[in-house]
Amino acid sequence: MKHLHTLLIVPVIIALFLLAIQQSCAQVEMPVPSPAASVSQVIGVTKVSVDYSAPAVRDREVWGSLVPYGEMWRTGANSPTKVTFSTDVMVEGKKVEAGSYTLITIPTEDKWTVILNKDSKGNGVFSYLEEDDVIRVEVAPKKSEMKEYLAYTIVPKSDMEAHLVMNWEKIMLPIKITTDTKANAVASIDKGMGIYGRAWYDYASAAEYYIQNDLDVEKANEWATMSMNIRQDHFFNRWVMAQVKAKQGNYKEAIIHATKAKEMGEENGGGFYAARKASLESSLAEWTKKAK
């Protein structure tokens, strides 16, 4: 019986030993030829992200050889390159709804066709369906300094525009992205007010955005008033109310609120006040002249 027991235990021990070896091997990480990468950037309130794998040149002829001209390219390596927009955007002047898309290009020497595709089959160029195309645009490549590994960057130009740039070897491809930041911000404010509307700072911030972007003055006045009703001891909402009154042409009230905001800020405003002090003082001087 003892011998039989040993015979039964030995296979179990061997199996556990092999499993331990397998798990140990699974934890070993080795460098890959085209490492995964990602980049993201916020434009106004719109987040743009790119997930891709970055191939290297490795002394190879890239354009017209490794990447043939006139053929679809996944514009990266390994899996499809994905571009994600958190809000609706315009890509090279064409509307693209919020969501994730596969980026495909067709390079030539002078012009590249840039495609954003819904990729319903999930394998990029290898399962490409034309009916999944969202946009097709033409973009001119530019010469650049040598880049061994392919890289994407998102270069902000303003709070409404950025360039999504693919850079590899000595070529860069800038793709223009624009977004309606005002409309997106208003939508975010309206949505946020329903969730966080009892916070004095949310009301004040929303009112200030409306004033600084020439939006609904009466709504800004309503929000500034609600903020001050919730909290009366902070310079910020008082300063916002001053801006609202000035926008309404009521400079006398604007001066009263701005003067009080300055007193509060000087007393306990800290760095938050310091960042706004110059603007407050210059506005106060301007409104004083207009009020006369």
Side-chain angles (χ1 to χ4, degrees), residues 2 27 45 68 70 82 103 112 114 138 190 228 239 246-247 255-256 267:
K2 184 176 179 180
Q27 293 174 358
V45 297
K82 291 288 185 180
L103 173 65
W112 286 33
V114 175
E138 286 193 343
D190 289 343
M228 288 179 61
W239 164 231
K247 199 72 172 180
I255 291 167
I256 292 171
E267 185 176 348

Side-chain angles (χ1 to χ4, degrees), residues 45-101:
V45 297
T46 301
K47 184 177 182 181
V48 180
S49 305
V50 187
D51 295 284
Y52 64 102
S53 293
V57 176
R58 296 191 181 89
D59 296 321
R60 297 176 293 182
E61 183 180 352
V62 175
W63 310 116
S65 180
L66 180 63
V67 178
Y69 286 135
E71 297 182 14
M72 284 189 171
W73 178 41
R74 56 190 166 188
T75 328
N78 302 334
S79 56
T81 296
K82 291 288 185 180
V83 182
T84 303
F85 308 106
S86 67
T87 71
D88 296 353
V89 297
M90 302 288 284
V91 177
E92 291 290 334
K94 292 192 175 182
K95 184 176 179 180
V96 177
E97 294 181 351
S100 294
Y101 303 94

Side-chain angles (χ1 to χ4, degrees), residues 258-273:
T259 302
K260 186 63 177 177
K262 188 173 187 297
E263 291 173 2
M264 291 178 170
E266 295 288 353
E267 185 176 348
N268 56 17
F272 189 36
Y273 170 70

Side-chain angles (χ1 to χ4, degrees), residues 8 41 55 67-68 80 116 124 130 145 149 152 155 157 172 175 185 195 198 229 254 257 260 279:
L8 291 172
Q41 175 70 46
V67 178
L116 290 182
E130 186 174 353
E145 294 182 358
Y149 280 87
Y152 284 90
V155 184
K157 298 296 181 180
M172 62 183 294
I175 303 168
I195 302 172
R198 285 189 289 272
N229 286 340
H257 288 295
K260 186 63 177 177
S279 177

Side-chain angles (χ1 to χ4, degrees), residues 102-290:
T102 291
L103 173 65
I104 299 171
T105 57
I106 304 175
T108 69
E109 291 188 62
D110 301 319
K111 292 281 186 180
W112 286 33
T113 299
V114 175
I115 303 166
L116 290 182
N117 186 277
K118 293 179 182 177
D119 199 7
S120 59
K121 291 188 176 294
N123 203 22
V125 296
F126 301 108
S127 58
Y128 169 79
L129 294 174
E130 186 174 353
E131 56 262 37
D132 281 344
D133 283 357
V134 176
I135 62 163
R136 274 188 174 228
V137 294
E138 286 193 343
V139 179
K142 297 181 180 180
K143 293 182 180 180
S144 71
E145 294 182 358
M146 179 65 186
K147 193 82 170 179
E148 175 65 20
Y149 280 87
L150 181 148
Y152 284 90
T153 54
I154 304 169
V155 184
K157 298 296 181 180
S158 71
D159 68 352
M160 298 180 67
E161 179 184 336
H163 289 175
L164 169 58
V165 182
M166 188 285 301
N167 197 183
W168 193 27
E169 201 252 2
K170 295 182 179 181
I171 289 291
M172 62 183 294
L173 187 75
I175 303 168
K176 183 178 178 180
I177 300 169
T178 55
T179 178
D180 190 343
T181 296
K182 282 188 181 182
N184 291 331
V186 169
S188 177
I189 288 169
D190 289 343
K191 181 180 178 181
M193 286 298 105
I195 302 172
Y196 308 109
R198 285 189 289 272
W200 73 272
Y201 183 78
D202 290 329
Y203 282 124
S205 296
E208 185 175 53
Y209 185 84
Y210 265 52
I211 288 301
Q212 293 181 348
N213 288 277
D214 297 321
L215 298 171
D216 191 334
V217 179
E218 295 310 312
K219 184 174 282 190
N221 183 64
E222 177 186 345
W223 284 336
T225 301
M226 293 175 77
S227 177
M228 288 179 61
N229 286 340
I230 296 170
R231 183 170 183 180
Q232 295 83 36
D233 63 346
H234 202 284
F235 88 90
F236 178 58
N237 52 5
R238 182 77 64 166
W239 164 231
V240 171
M241 180 59 85
Q243 296 175 71
V244 170
K245 294 305 177 185
K247 199 72 172 180
Q248 291 176 325
N250 191 340
Y251 296 110
K252 288 185 178 181
E253 282 200 40
I255 291 167
I256 292 171
H257 288 295
T259 302
K260 186 63 177 177
K262 188 173 187 297
E263 291 173 2
M264 291 178 170
E266 295 288 353
E267 185 176 348
N268 56 17
F272 189 36
Y273 170 70
R276 290 160 175 78
K277 182 178 179 180
S279 177
L280 190 156
E281 289 179 342
S282 63
S283 296
L284 188 55
E286 179 186 344
W287 298 339
T288 300
K289 291 179 182 178
K290 291 181 177 180

